[in-house]
Amino acid sequence: MKITIVSVGKLKEKYLKQGIAEYLKRLSAYAKVDIVEVADEKAPENMSEAEMLEVKRKEGERILSHIGQDTYVITLEIGGKMISSEQLAEKMDQLATYGKSKVAFVIGGSLGISEEVQKRSDYALSFSKMTFPHQLMRLVLLEQVYRGFRIIRGEPYHK
């Protein structure tokens, strides 16, 4: 399986970089994982609804430029479906079984993801009703993907 994580914004925090590097190393035994960072759109503090939509649209264009036609897209959205780690593992296993070997997880910017990206999404996933920094979500997502592969293979993992 080839997994791409498309995320808006640059990762700056050293501790997050270290955690992400650790999970990328662990995941290399199970899948090829790439992280693609797309630039976030500079946005003033107080924006109108139209300005917010334009920021999301521009970020969305950048996201979509990194997603192939044959890629199964999972967007991380507050309004997405909340599932357990075991259900995510089952979803990943089903994708591999039915020939969806290219999977992209999309983490939007601070304003979320554009309508165009939502339309391209095959599955909207939510980790919580809470809002998390998108940089932190990369680490949480990688940990859950790693946990999913361990579950699929019946390997021990902390519960």
Side-chain angles (χ1 to χ4, degrees), residues 14 26 49 51 57 71 80 93 105 126 143 145 156-157:
K14 185 178 178 184
R26 292 181 187 191
E49 186 69 29
E51 288 171 319
R57 187 192 67 72
T71 301
D93 195 32
F105 287 92
S126 175
E143 188 280 333
V145 171
Y157 200 82

Side-chain angles (χ1 to χ4, degrees), residues 11-70:
L11 192 62
K12 298 173 185 91
E13 294 82 358
K14 185 178 178 184
Y15 71 97
L16 290 174
K17 287 180 180 181
Q18 290 170 330
I20 287 168
E22 177 62 28
Y23 279 105
L24 286 173
K25 185 174 83 178
R26 292 181 187 191
L27 276 163
S28 67
Y30 304 100
K32 180 173 178 8
V33 181
D34 292 317
I35 296 179
V36 175
E37 292 180 336
V38 300
D40 54 346
E41 192 64 25
K42 302 296 175 237
E45 197 67 29
N46 297 318
M47 287 186 284
S48 69
E49 186 69 29
E51 288 171 319
M52 284 192 260
L53 287 172
E54 184 62 14
V55 166
K56 289 198 297 188
R57 187 192 67 72
K58 287 178 179 177
E59 290 174 349
E61 283 178 0
R62 293 181 193 126
I63 290 167
L64 292 172
S65 72
H66 293 281
I67 297 173
Q69 292 295 343
D70 59 343

Side-chain angles (χ1 to χ4, degrees), residues 18-155:
Q18 290 170 330
I20 287 168
E22 177 62 28
Y23 279 105
L24 286 173
K25 185 174 83 178
R26 292 181 187 191
L27 276 163
S28 67
Y30 304 100
K32 180 173 178 8
V33 181
D34 292 317
I35 296 179
V36 175
E37 292 180 336
V38 300
D40 54 346
E41 192 64 25
K42 302 296 175 237
E45 197 67 29
N46 297 318
M47 287 186 284
S48 69
E49 186 69 29
E51 288 171 319
M52 284 192 260
L53 287 172
E54 184 62 14
V55 166
K56 289 198 297 188
R57 187 192 67 72
K58 287 178 179 177
E59 290 174 349
E61 283 178 0
R62 293 181 193 126
I63 290 167
L64 292 172
S65 72
H66 293 281
I67 297 173
Q69 292 295 343
D70 59 343
T71 301
Y72 187 89
V73 178
I74 299 174
T75 47
L76 274 59
E77 303 180 43
I78 290 175
K81 184 171 182 177
M82 278 193 259
I83 59 176
S84 67
S85 297
E86 291 79 11
Q87 289 171 309
L88 179 60
E90 185 179 319
K91 179 91 178 147
M92 291 166 36
D93 195 32
Q94 287 173 345
L95 290 171
T97 301
Y98 294 105
K100 297 286 185 183
S101 61
K102 292 180 184 174
V103 177
F105 287 92
V106 175
I107 302 171
S110 59
L111 298 176
I113 57 174
S114 70
E115 191 176 318
E116 294 81 12
V117 174
Q118 287 176 325
K119 285 179 184 170
R120 175 62 181 86
S121 177
D122 295 296
Y123 191 85
L125 176 64
S126 175
F127 278 75
S128 172
K129 289 192 182 297
M130 292 185 226
T131 303
F132 294 99
H134 50 277
Q135 296 94 338
L136 179 60
M137 278 314 302
R138 283 193 220 182
L139 179 59
V140 173
L141 174 62
L142 284 169
E143 188 280 333
Q144 285 298 299
V145 171
Y146 174 68
R147 183 182 296 260
F149 279 114
R150 300 283 295 190
I151 291 168
I152 290 166
R153 300 246 178 118
E155 297 171 351

